[in-house]
Amino acid sequence: MSITDMIPTLDDAALANLRSNASRLEATGVGPRQKEAALLLPLIDAELATRKANGVKTIRAARVTKAGTKTAAPKKAAPKKAAKKVVVAAEADAEADDE
């Protein structure tokens, strides 16, 4: 898979990083790297513009929107067992004080 094929699959952070590197290489690179960076920048900018126009912040959100499905709900935290032990210990202390 070439880098141009990967652009739509990158998340926003990776896409921003790629744009930063391509911009730097276009300005300071030499030979083929400079040429490739110059070719990548318009593709990256187009992907960023598409995401902005569609209101999509990440590629994961784009997939969810496209598929029409919802993401899974976060798992509920397990009940705290330590708190129960403290209550039981406190009750035992209270019963010992009563005697």
Side-chain angles (χ1 to χ4, degrees):
M1 179 182 279
S2 71
I3 190 75
T4 57
D5 295 334
M6 290 175 43
I7 289 173
T9 65
L10 297 175
D11 64 14
D12 286 350
L15 193 59
N17 189 33
L18 180 63
R19 190 188 188 303
S20 174
N21 289 337
S23 180
R24 179 181 48 81
L25 283 172
E26 182 186 40
T28 62
V30 179
R33 286 185 173 186
Q34 187 176 29
K35 290 178 185 176
E36 186 175 2
L39 293 173
L40 285 176
L41 281 171
L43 298 174
I44 296 168
D45 290 338
E47 178 65 24
L48 289 170
T50 300
R51 290 182 186 189
K52 186 175 181 180
N54 293 335
V56 176
K57 296 193 181 225
T58 64
I59 192 66
R60 184 174 191 280
R63 288 181 185 152
V64 169
T65 303
K66 187 175 182 181
T69 60
K70 296 180 181 178
T71 57
K75 293 182 179 179
K76 294 182 180 179
K80 295 182 180 180
K81 293 180 181 178
K84 185 176 180 181
K85 289 180 183 178
V86 171
V87 171
V88 172
E91 290 173 356
D93 287 343
E95 287 178 10
D97 291 339
D98 290 338
E99 293 176 2

